[in-house]
Amino acid sequence: MKQTILALMLVILMAVAGCTGNNAGELFETAEFEELQKNHAHAAQLYGEILEKHPDSKYAGKARERLSVLEKSQH
C-alpha cells in the first residue's frame, strides 16, 4: 500500500512539475535571458508566444515592446 501511495505521489509531482514553464512570467524571464545570450530569434519567438497565449497578462505589453525593439534591430 505504501508503495502505491508513493508511486501515485511521484506521478502527481511529475505532472505538476511538467506544467511549469508555460506561464507568462516564466516565458518573459526566459525571453529576457535569451536576449542577454544574443539569441534574439528565440527571444522573439517567446515574446510572440506570450502575446498569443497570454494577451491579457501584465507581461503582454512588455513582450510587445521587446518584440518591437528586436524587430527594429534586425533592419
Side-chain angles (χ1 to χ4, degrees), residues 15-31 42 46 49-50 53-54:
V16 170
C19 291
T20 63
N22 202 21
N23 71 42
E26 289 177 4
L27 286 171
F28 190 83
E29 288 177 8
T30 304
H42 190 223
L46 293 170
E49 189 173 336
I50 292 168
K53 294 182 178 178
H54 308 282

Side-chain angles (χ1 to χ4, degrees), residues 30-31 34-35 38-49 70:
T30 304
E34 291 294 336
E35 275 195 80
K38 306 291 187 216
N39 190 354
H40 297 157
H42 190 223
Q45 176 188 352
L46 293 170
Y47 290 133
E49 189 173 336
L70 288 174

Side-chain angles (χ1 to χ4, degrees), residues 1-62:
M1 182 69 173
K2 285 184 182 181
Q3 289 178 339
T4 304
I5 292 172
L6 265 159
L8 183 59
M9 288 176 62
L10 181 60
V11 168
I12 292 170
L13 180 62
M14 289 173 57
V16 170
C19 291
T20 63
N22 202 21
N23 71 42
E26 289 177 4
L27 286 171
F28 190 83
E29 288 177 8
T30 304
E32 285 184 313
F33 178 77
E34 291 294 336
E35 275 195 80
L36 290 173
Q37 297 297 313
K38 306 291 187 216
N39 190 354
H40 297 157
H42 190 223
Q45 176 188 352
L46 293 170
Y47 290 133
E49 189 173 336
I50 292 168
L51 295 175
E52 180 183 317
K53 294 182 178 178
H54 308 282
D56 298 326
S57 74
K58 68 179 184 179
Y59 295 96
K62 295 176 186 180

